[in-house]
């Protein structure tokens, strides 16, 4: 897929591809057709574009980064998609609207600091000491943006505790489950951070791969 990616915007990687594959499969089964879609933390807009190609009726994309908002807007137009692209913090720009399908590929890499990073690129992956700075907020807020028959599709690393995501989604009143898994070699960020993560017990002594997981959640 041809995508414009200004400096500082997250490049679609293995996590994007894994959720992209899940979306394609759902589209082939007719589970995306006619649905209203929210792509939160849209980056280049790749996931929302795939959802629209799979038959979605409407697409709204949100990102906090001005450059990502620009990229999502440009790429949606490049692919002939009339997306609404908003700048803001997670679900705040669309409240109190609700959607049939919510997509999320948030930052989830454990980092040294507990606050959001100031460096533009680090914002694409750093997510606090346990990697859950955004994941916890998405779990808590997702029910407020899902229609009664709506679905959340979220991708994260096992390093950010998938069990915590499943439990928090359940506590928020949703029914969660794992749809897909993939093991991928460490990228540059995890390779550079591996010694610190091993010292904290978040990586095994010989671990050179991370597990990515796509989680689905819906109302009971």
């Amino acid at each position: 897929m041809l995508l414009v990616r200004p400096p500082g915007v997250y490049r679609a990687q293995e996590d994007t591809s894994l959720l992209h594959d899940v979306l394609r499969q759902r589209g082939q089964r007719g589970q995306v057709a006619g649905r209203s879609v929210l792509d939160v933390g849209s980056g280049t807009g790749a996931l929302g574009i795939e959802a629209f190609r799979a038959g979605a009726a409407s697409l709204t994309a949100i990102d906090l980064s001005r450059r990502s908002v620009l990229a999502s807007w440009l790429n949606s137009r490049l692919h002939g998609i009339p997306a609404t692209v908003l700048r803001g913090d997670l679900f705040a720009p669309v409240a109190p609207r609700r959607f049939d399908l919510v997509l999320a590929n948030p930052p989830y890499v454990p980092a040294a600091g507990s606050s959001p990073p100031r460096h533009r690129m680090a914002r694409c992956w750093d997510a606090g000491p346990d990697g859950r700075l955004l994941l916890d907020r998405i779990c808590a807020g997702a029910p407020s943006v899902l229609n009664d028959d709506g679905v959340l599709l979220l991708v994260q690393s096992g390093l950010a505790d998938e069990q915590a995501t499943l439990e928090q989604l359940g506590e928020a009143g949703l029914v969660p489950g794992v749809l897909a898994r993939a093991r991928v070699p460490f990228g540059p960020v995890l390779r550079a951070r591996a010694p610190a993560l091993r010292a904290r017990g978040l990586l095994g002594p010989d671990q050179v791969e991370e597990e990515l997981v796509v989680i689905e959640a819906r109302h009971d």
Side-chain angles (χ1 to χ4, degrees), residues 87-116:
R87 179 175 180 265
D89 183 29
L90 290 184
F91 306 125
V94 293
R97 289 181 59 196
R98 292 176 179 262
F99 298 83
D100 300 318
L101 178 61
V102 176
L103 310 173
N105 180 11
Y108 49 66
V109 178
S114 58
S115 300

Side-chain angles (χ1 to χ4, degrees), residues 192-202:
R193 205 165 290 181
L197 295 177
R198 289 192 178 100
R200 294 174 53 196
L202 295 177

Side-chain angles (χ1 to χ4, degrees), residues 52-75:
F52 207 87
R53 284 179 164 182
S58 66
L59 171 61
T60 301
I62 299 173
D63 207 293
L64 187 59
S65 160
R66 288 183 175 86
R67 295 188 183 198
S68 293
V69 168
L70 174 62
S72 291
W73 189 90
L74 286 173
N75 286 318

Side-chain angles (χ1 to χ4, degrees), residues 14-207:
E14 288 89 349
D15 48 7
T16 312
S17 296
L18 184 60
L19 186 45
H20 187 280
D21 290 345
V22 169
L23 272 173
R24 184 184 294 117
Q25 292 164 12
R26 295 177 76 91
Q28 292 170 348
R29 296 193 296 266
Q31 295 173 320
V32 181
R35 311 286 273 175
S36 58
V37 175
L38 174 64
D39 182 9
V40 60
S42 57
T44 60
L47 291 174
I49 291 170
E50 177 58 31
F52 207 87
R53 284 179 164 182
S58 66
L59 171 61
T60 301
I62 299 173
D63 207 293
L64 187 59
S65 160
R66 288 183 175 86
R67 295 188 183 198
S68 293
V69 168
L70 174 62
S72 291
W73 189 90
L74 286 173
N75 286 318
S76 65
R77 269 53 187 179
L78 179 66
H79 290 274
I81 296 170
T84 299
V85 185
L86 305 171
R87 179 175 180 265
D89 183 29
L90 290 184
F91 306 125
V94 293
R97 289 181 59 196
R98 292 176 179 262
F99 298 83
D100 300 318
L101 178 61
V102 176
L103 310 173
N105 180 11
Y108 49 66
V109 178
S114 58
S115 300
R118 292 185 178 182
H119 186 271
R120 184 172 290 115
M121 281 307 298
R123 292 178 183 176
C124 297
W125 48 74
D126 280 4
D130 57 3
R132 300 199 57 84
L133 193 64
L134 276 296
L135 284 167
D136 290 343
R137 294 180 59 205
I138 290 171
C139 291
S144 69
V145 290
L146 285 176
N147 283 326
D148 290 343
D149 62 346
V151 175
L152 167 71
L153 294 178
L154 177 150
V155 62
Q156 69 166 86
S157 169
L159 296 177
D161 193 350
E162 71 176 79
Q163 188 59 37
T165 299
L166 294 169
E167 290 174 359
Q168 290 188 29
L169 288 168
E171 291 168 0
L174 300 178
V175 179
V178 174
L179 288 184
R181 297 181 184 274
R183 297 196 68 84
V184 299
F186 289 168
V189 174
L190 277 180
R191 285 199 300 270
R193 205 165 290 181
L197 295 177
R198 289 192 178 100
R200 294 174 53 196
L202 295 177
L203 289 179
D206 301 316
Q207 186 175 345

